[in-house]
Amino acid sequence: MNIAMEHLTASQRVYAAIRDAISKGRCAVGERLIEESWAEEMNVSRTPVREALQRLSSDGFVIFTPHAGAFVRGWSSQEVREIYEIRANLEGLAAGLSAERADRAAIARLELSYQEWEEAVQTEPRNVLLISEKNHNFHTEILTISGNERLKVVCLQMMDLGFLARSFAQFDDASIRSSSEDHAALLKALRLGDGRLAEALMRSHILAAATKVIAYDTHDLT
């Protein structure tokens, strides 16, 4: 066990292990995650495994089926398309509002989030989970700056880490670079206070991501 893992609770260790297994494809979409098996593998009781699975469900990696248990979650191409279409419109609105409402402190926070994203995408080998987390943080920061809490809540419901990780797993190097360029352009638009530009950029950014994800997988996001 590495040093970082030693300081985690049993539930956190199980969460990290299962999330890593899902993200790296060791647990396939639709595979049942058996509490007893994971408890034995991680040398813990079933309670921390159950807690980890609940958290994984909240983060979008797992789905619970009544009377059957927890399964690795997947999305159909139609579901992916619908999620991105809704995100493009709602997050476009949020970006426009953010450009109009951002103050210096908000821009400073967004700049830091952008820098962390850039560091994540340059990490070798590529860490899909880290990239997903930093992307989530960047988009969340823009939603926060918008000042519309209900809009933020709705958008975050369609932007869980499980979905983002599945999406970024489909990205090649060119797609990652394109995403970075989009983030830089969005940051510039918010600095300028240009709401129309920020809205257009966000819509284009998200719809472009949808095209890339669906192009890589014409059936299911698995």
Side-chain angles (χ1 to χ4, degrees), residues 127-143:
N127 186 329
V128 172
L129 282 174
L130 181 62
I131 290 172
S132 301
E133 289 171 352
K134 298 309 178 182
N135 180 77
H136 185 278
N137 292 347
F138 183 81
H139 282 259
T140 300
E141 193 61 57
I142 292 177
L143 291 168

Side-chain angles (χ1 to χ4, degrees), residues 31-47:
E31 180 177 335
R32 185 184 176 199
L33 300 171
I34 302 172
E35 290 183 8
E36 295 90 336
S37 298
W38 278 100
E40 182 177 353
E41 179 173 333
M42 299 296 297
N43 193 29
V44 297
S45 69
R46 290 178 58 181
T47 298

